[in-house]
Structures are given as C-alpha cells and as structure tokens.
Amino acid sequence: MAVAGEVVGHSSLLGRSSLLPDPKILKMEQTSGLCFSMPVLFPAKQGRLPSRSLRVMRPPVATISEEVLSLVVGKPAKIKVRAVVTVRRKSKEDFRDAVANQLDALSDKIGRNVVFELISTESNSKTKAPKKSGEAVIKDWYEKMKIKGERAVYTVDFTVDSGFGEPGAVAVANRHQREFFLESIVVEGFASGAVHFLCNSWVQSTKNLPSKRVFFSNKSYLPWETPEGLKELREKELMELRGDGKGLRRISDRIYDYDIYNDLGNPDKGKELTRPNLGGEKLPYPRRCRTGRLPTDTNLLCESRIEKPHPVYVPRDEAFEELKQDAFSAGRLKAVLHNLIPSLIASFSADDYDFQCFHDIDNLYKEGLLLKLGIQGHLLHKIPLVKKLHESSHGLLRYDTPSILSKDKFAWLRDDELGRQAVAGINPINVERVQVFPPVSKLDPDHYGPPESSLTEAHIAGHLNGMSVHQAMEEGKLFMIDHHDTYLPFVDRINALDGRKTYATRTIFFLSPLGTLRPVAIELTLPPEIVGGERRSRVLTPPCDATTSWLWQLGKAHVCANDCGVHQLVNHWLRTHACIEPFILAAHRRLSSMHPIFRLLHPHMRYTLEINALARQSLINAGGVIEACFTPGPLCMEISAEYYRRHWRFDQEGLPADLIRRGVAVEDSSQPHGLRLLIPDYPYANDGLLIWSAIEHWVNIYTTHYYPNATSILSDTELQSWYSESINSGHADLRHSHWWPPLSTPTDLSSILTTLIWLSSAQHAALNFGQYPLGGYVPNRPPLMRRLLPDDKDATFIADPHRYFLSAIPNVLQATKFMAVVDTLSTHSPDEEYIGGIREAAWTAEEEVLEGYKEFAAEMERIEEEIRRRNGDSGRRNRCGAGVLPYELLLPSSGPGVTARGVPNSISI
C-alpha cells in the first residue's frame, strides 16, 4: 500500500499533469506486481535569468518513495524516469537551415534521431564501469519543429534498474544533419529528486563528432570527490578539450590550445603588411587560441589569414550567441556605413580633407556624415551611391552626440578637464605620484641619451600655490602621466611614417586644494639625433598670451594622443583582453566543467575568446583599424609587446596593488579597504575599491567553502594544473619571473581569482565603455597627431593657429573611421550579463554559496546607489559641478547601447 499512499499524497499533481497515467491504471499495475514510477514534469522556463535577478528554480518534488524501488526482495525492479530536454531554436533561418531541418525531419522518421543515455554517479561493482541506462530517443522532434517559439521542449523516457543510483551525466548523440543548441536537461523520477543539467552548448552531428557528447549535472565536485561512475568521463572530457595540438581546427571543434600571435601580418599581400610575430624571446607576449591554419606562402613562420566575413576559429561554445551576433553585426553595419563614404571619397581624390573649422566637426552629429562639410560638390556626382545611402540609412550616417559635449561644449579646452579625465576618464590608470624630480628615464642612456628630464623647478615653481617643489612632493601634491619611456624608443620610426608625428611626453599635475588636478608642465621629447647624444626636449607651461595658449593646446593634444595609444594598446587590449585569454584557455583545458572553480570563473569567460579573435582579424592586424587610427600605425603591437616585456606583472594587476605601485595610495588599516588615497576625489579608484572589495568578499566565501586549508589547495591536481599551465604555457615568455604569486593556501587562491574577476569585469568596463562618450569628439582626445609643434615664429602658425591645430589632429577620413569603431566598442549587447546578476545554476545546490552570492548581488545594488549619491555630492569636483560629467563607468548595471555605464561579467566587446 506504499504506492497507494504516494498516489493519495499527490492527487493534486495527478489532476494537473496530462503526462501521468490514469490512477485506475496505476492501481491495476500495483496489484499485478508491476512498478511504475510517477515522474512529475515541471517544464520550468530554462535559459538565462534576467540581469540582476535572483530567482531560484524550485526543484520538482519526487513522486515516488524509497519503498517502491523494489517490490521483490533481492530482485532489482525496473523504474521509469523522464528527461525534459530544452533546445533553443535559431530566430533566423537561412535556406540551408531550412533544407537541413527538412532532412532532419526525414531522418528522424527513419530512426536517425537524437539519442540520450543516462550515466550514474555509481559504477558497477563487478565491471567497475559506470552504470548506464539504455538509449532513449526524442520521439516528437519532427512534430515540434512546426511549433513556433524561441525554445522547444521535448521529453525522453528511460527505464533503469532501481539500483541505478543518481544520474551524474547524460550522453547525447546527434544523428541529424546539423548541430543544435542544447540548453538544459532535467531528469525527474528518481527518489533523490530532480537532477538538473545546464548545458548551453552546441551538440554536433555524429558526422562531425562520432563520439557522444557528455554533460555533467549541476552538482560540483572537487577532483577527489568525483563519484566512481564519473571519474573516467571527467578525465576523458578534459583530454578531448585539450586536443593534440595538430591540424586545422574546424568551426565545429571544441578544442582549446595555445599559439603565438603569428597571424597579424599578411606578407602574401605585400611587404608593407609584414609584421613581426609576437610571442617568444624577441617580442614576448601572452598566447592566444590556436587555429592551426596553414602558413603564408612567403613566410612559413606566419599563419595565413582569414578575412571577413569568414569566421576565425574559436571553440564552438565560445562563439557569440545569436542575439549577441545580431547586435554586433548591427554595430558593424553602422561602422561600415560610417566608413564607406569617407573611403569612397578618398578613392576619388588625393585631398586629405582636413576639418576647415570646428563647426565641421559639430556637423557630424547634426547634419550627417560628410554631407555638410563642403566636400561633396562634384564628387557626389561621381558617387551617387552616397546620396542613396543617406536617403535610406535612417540616420545611420549621423553620429550620436558624445557625452563630453552634453554638459559643456568647450570643456575639452579647460586645463582642469585634462586633469579630471586623468582620474575620471577612459584611461584613469596611468596617473602616478611624482617621487623624484626631475623625473628620470629608465631607458639605456647609451642609446637614448642622459636619463634626466629637461623639466626644472623653475618651470613649475610658480604654479604650486606658493609651495616649493620639495614641499609639494612631500605633501603628495605632485602627480604625473609619464609616457616618455613607452614612446621614446619608437619616436623616430613613427615620425618617419607619412602623416604621423609624435613626441615622448610627460605631464606634471598639481593637486589643488579643491581636489582637482591642474597641469603645470608638459615635456615633449625627441630622441638624440645621433646615438648617445642629447635628447631634444621642449617644455611647455600654462600659457600667458595667445601664442603660448595655442602651443599649449597643441602640447595637450600630443599628450592626449599618446595617452590614447597607451590606453588602447596597453591598458585596454594587453592588460585585459590579451592577458586574460591564457587563463581562459587553461581553465577549459585543466578544470573540469564540474569543478567549482571553473563554475566560479565561467560567467567571467563568456565571449572573450570570440571578441579577441575578431580583434586579431580586423582591429589589431596589419592595416587594421588600430593601425589606421592611432599614432604608432604599424608599430602599435610592438609598443604593446614592449610594455608586456618591461612592465606587466600579474601580482600588480589587482586594484589595490596597482594603486600602491603608482604611489596614488598607501596602506592604512584605519581606512576603508585598507588604503588611503592621496587623491581623495579619484572617481575610478573610489568606485573601483567598492567593487573590488565586494568581489574579494564573495570569492572568499566561495573558496573557503570548498578549500578549508592549504592541504586541500595543494592536493587539487586540476587547480594546480590550471594555474601552472596559465603561467608556463599561456604566459610562457614570463614564466621564470619571480613575481608570480604562489598557489599554496586558500588566501592565495582567493587573491588570484579576485584579480582575474576584477580584470574581466570592472577593470575592462572602466577602460572600454567610455570610449565613444569621451573620445567620440576627436579634439578632446585625438587618437593620432599629424604635425609636430611649430616654432613660435612659424608663419603659417602665426597667421592661422586655428587652421594649424585642425591640420595637426586627424583629418575627416581618419576621425570618422575612429569614431565609427569606438562607437561599436562602447556598445552593450542586449544579452549582456552584468556583475551581480545571473549566477551559475550549480550555486543553488550549496546553501552557503547561494547565500554568499545573494549578499554579493545585494552589495552591487548598494554600490549602484552609493555611486549615484557620490555623483550628486558637490564636494566631489571631479564628478559633480557645472559642466562636469558624472562618473558612471563603474555603475554595475546598464541597458543596451552606448550608455557610458555598466559592468559586464566578462570581456565581451
């Protein structure tokens, strides 16, 4: 009568579920000695939860008891269980998809269908092999193909022995023509309750992948906790993901491997597109994902290129999902349209088309691209496509007004704005405290001349509010943005390029009593004319008349151009995108998907390999956007590699360590976060420390839950393998550096993970999503300069300094190309996942971890409110005041589009 009791106890469920057999039939089966389990189907909506949501799926209640698992003593009974399978459909299908779907429907009818097999956490006591169910198939694939919707939900029925145990894995074989996206599987009917499998992966046809695809349940296991039935599968999966390092990778592959950056040049198209390989002793660099493409014809050490629209290989599950791809394609279309007309006009004329006045720049936002710049004239008769595009593009040819113009159109001209953007702009991580004056270069004096700066006390003494230089230094009032050593080795080669001119720059700032930074000197340096000779330097100080005012503006433009280059090539690309990629590759290769640390890192790895591959294809490659838009041109990536060699240190990439390294903060246990900022109103650091501390606290909760002591860290072979490979293979050129943090204690692990999550989320957000809002107005931050400073008696300069300035910054074609690109880079996708929002499904299985994440998510809400409060505090002059932009780049949440706010979990653009 045990079964009868179960039936009575769930009468309401029986009444609601059409999937359960009639109770009368059940009663007949009970009296006849048959056992039929009663799985209750809860087809809860699967997929990604809305951003910043903490809804928890309530697990289905088991409808059988332990008493019904065996009706005959000593003989295992057969029980029936059911899997609910959710498949995500494509929202758009092309002709090939439609044909493939019809073929799949046909093959489904003749038995070539999708096959599932349950794998137990237990092994057979005799064979030692995992216990497995029989194979079962989706029977209604064809019928549900006709139903419209974002998802299709199927059921699969299994019959297993009562002693099967708990399912720990599901094996899937796709015998159809095409891949499909498997979102989730929920297995119901076991006494232990529903078992969830969050898959979110493409399942390839057996034509491409003969072996079955295995998915593990949401329950996390450290290596030594792995159930017997899953041990072999755990290792087998990791071996498959590592591959053998050979051959050309297919788009359908799921193989993660390393390679150097030998795919940026295109020597087969011409010597001018040859670029040195990055990675190795000569030009150290992090490793990237291997594609296995054949070498070029003219250089066997270079990998052949694949150009748009053909995709660059990334492991299949790393590619953009459909919503992200649509948003990215729309941004790319907008960028193409913005760049197409300038390119067409350039092909008809050799004229550089300088901006004739600042009103021309304003017209880009008001009237539309190039159509009111006075350059169309007879050219538009030659290219009527321009007129058609303008008529049919629905505003796509008009740029949105950047935020920098929204509150004060002339803010970029003010000196205090240069200082404000040093702490609240898109590159707020280069300002450092002056601790030696004059500053001293660390470059080899035999090649670059005496190391001492040309700056003197006389240059700045009159701008320090009555302080001496020594007093200002002692009281922490002097700061600097120093790009001298980064640029000087490349200056001569850059200045030899057509239309590119630069200096090695230093800018000295004084911290005013109001808490703002005021530039007091700019040093512009050229290398010695002969090796070992004197450097040629020019020092500018705040102007006192019209001539020096224009020279000062030109000097600031050169400072900003250098800062743009360092921001894009070093701080943005190298220190987030490129340096994170090896850790992601190693995580997939060495950490099982059921490892708790993999599940902690998983949200912070989304889309990064894909966006990096796209960057290698069209942004950082020879002749790509970065070379076209930034002063160093073809030397861009060499500058990036040189910084990696000389300066990059993982142990100083965390926020507190970076602030201390730059001298803008000191350790102080009496202060929040254990730091005292020397620039009290430092929006990036103020807001960043809130997020850093929240991440650190959450990671501490998570790691200590799984690792109570040092022994547990040292004995975790997968964890140690991941960290070791990240260093020795992913950052191979720096593997012998002394500064790599150890991984021996839970504290070590927490520190390493906090740094990785910080870099992938908040650090990247602070450096990326303000690019168009602040840089979309080119005079504010020109990405390149075309002229050196004139002599103060230069006739053309004296006659028309306004025109000279416009001829020094990017011309119309260069500016519009740059604006189009940073507009795309600053855009949030509609499917973006923000910090503190979506969590891993596995976390719900561990109460302590779930509570820790709820606390973390709530802290993100509090941080958002605190940042809003700070932006309304009139005492914070760097983020509040007349004409001052609020600092919102570290506000955790955002909507889609160019919002200048929002902290995504991962580097996804």
Side-chain angles (χ1 to χ4, degrees), residues 53 84-85 116 139 163 193 234 267 289 337 339 341-342 383 388 466 485 525-526 536 551 616 671 678 815 817 858:
S53 170
V84 182
V85 178
F116 293 80
K139 296 179 180 178
R234 183 172 186 147
C289 184
L337 287 174
N339 193 41
I341 295 176
I383 44 176
K388 289 185 175 293
D485 287 7
T525 302
L526 298 173
R536 296 164 289 162
L551 290 173
R616 297 197 311 274
Q671 296 294 314
L678 299 188
K817 185 169 189 173

Side-chain angles (χ1 to χ4, degrees), residues 127-194:
T127 65
K128 305 302 180 184
K131 294 179 181 179
K132 297 182 180 180
S133 71
E135 291 186 345
V137 301
I138 292 177
K139 296 179 180 178
D140 53 353
W141 186 282
Y142 173 71
E143 288 75 9
K144 290 191 175 179
M145 281 178 56
K146 301 174 182 178
I147 301 174
K148 293 184 178 181
E150 185 181 352
R151 293 170 175 82
V153 179
Y154 303 96
T155 58
V156 182
D157 293 320
F158 299 90
T159 301
V160 298
D161 290 336
S162 57
F164 182 81
E166 181 181 341
V170 177
V172 185
N174 173 18
R175 294 173 180 166
H176 286 164
Q177 299 292 314
R178 300 286 290 273
E179 65 181 6
F180 68 87
F181 191 86
L182 180 58
E183 194 169 87
S184 66
I185 303 170
V186 181
V187 180
E188 296 171 325
F190 285 97
S192 56

Side-chain angles (χ1 to χ4, degrees), residues 379-393:
L379 290 177
L380 292 188
H381 296 295
K382 297 181 181 180
I383 44 176
L385 173 63
V386 172
K387 185 175 181 180
K388 289 185 175 293
L389 280 173
H390 182 59
E391 292 171 350
S392 63
S393 60

Side-chain angles (χ1 to χ4, degrees), residues 551-594:
L551 290 173
W552 180 249
Q553 290 299 336
L554 284 164
K556 289 198 298 183
H558 274 281
V559 166
C560 288
N562 277 13
D563 198 60
C564 271
V566 170
H567 163 258
Q568 199 68 265
L569 306 173
V570 173
N571 297 333
H572 179 204
W573 168 257
L574 171 67
R575 294 174 65 184
T576 62
H577 285 261
C579 286
I580 285 292
E581 183 160 348
F583 290 95
I584 295 174
L585 292 170
H588 285 280
R589 288 166 55 86
R590 296 295 173 180
L591 294 175
S592 168
S593 59
M594 67 175 82

Side-chain angles (χ1 to χ4, degrees), residues 75 79 140 143 151 181 213 230 311 316 378 397 452 454 526 553 609 633 779 826 846 858:
K75 284 189 177 182
I79 63 172
D140 53 353
E143 288 75 9
R151 293 170 175 82
F181 191 86
R213 181 72 192 282
L230 303 180
R316 184 65 183 98
H378 68 284
L397 298 182
E452 293 79 14
S454 297
L526 298 173
Q553 290 299 336
L609 296 186
S826 303
E846 304 285 349

